[in-house]
Amino acid sequence: MPEPTPETHVIDYRAAEQLLSARDPRGAVKLLDSVITAHPEHTAARLLRARAYFLAAQLHSAEAEFQFVLEREPDNAFAHFALARTLERANRPAEATRHFRLAAALEPRPDFVAAAKFGESS
């Protein structure tokens, strides 16, 4: 098997996007593992792998990946929102609310604002 190149990593990343769209999160994770091994600081690949973990119900792994992205990009509204959904699914509503509110404050999209429940106490 030939050595991976930057070009094959791009191909793997794009293929992982397609697999995720086709609802094959485990296949996406498998492709992204080699990309992230070669480029551990690549936040887009980490975010895509986090989404794949979430869809595969691997909540601990998804949380770790979303946290990784947020450590590097604390203003990433989508990462806050997705982490909140992960925490919500893991039955950690107080932590989820914090990230829903951060997402809505960073980017006041209707779905982010609705999830933030600003009028409700936490």
Side-chain angles (χ1 to χ4, degrees):
M1 188 160 164
E3 273 298 306
T5 66
E7 292 80 14
T8 59
H9 293 142
V10 170
I11 291 167
D12 286 348
Y13 178 85
R14 296 294 178 211
E17 287 179 318
Q18 294 300 313
L19 287 172
L20 200 56
S21 293
R23 295 293 206 195
D24 182 2
R26 286 181 174 80
V29 167
K30 187 175 178 181
L31 285 175
L32 290 166
D33 285 345
S34 66
V35 174
I36 292 168
T37 297
H39 308 280
E41 295 295 318
H42 194 279
T43 55
R46 294 281 189 147
L47 192 57
L48 190 60
R49 186 164 72 173
R51 291 175 48 218
Y53 281 139
F54 179 83
L55 288 174
Q58 295 178 23
L59 301 182
H60 181 72
S61 296
E63 179 183 352
E65 290 291 352
F66 287 128
Q67 291 285 8
F68 181 94
V69 170
L70 288 170
E71 286 170 9
R72 283 141 187 86
E73 298 178 6
D75 61 343
N76 188 319
F78 177 79
H80 280 289
F81 183 78
L83 175 58
R85 286 281 183 231
T86 303
L87 295 168
E88 183 180 62
R89 197 168 169 191
N91 198 29
R92 294 160 56 193
E95 292 172 83
T97 297
R98 177 178 176 272
H99 287 282
F100 279 135
R101 290 180 177 178
L102 283 167
L106 289 165
E107 189 176 330
R109 289 176 23 178
D111 53 337
F112 290 5
V113 172
K117 300 175 185 171
F118 284 113
E120 301 175 21
S121 62
S122 51

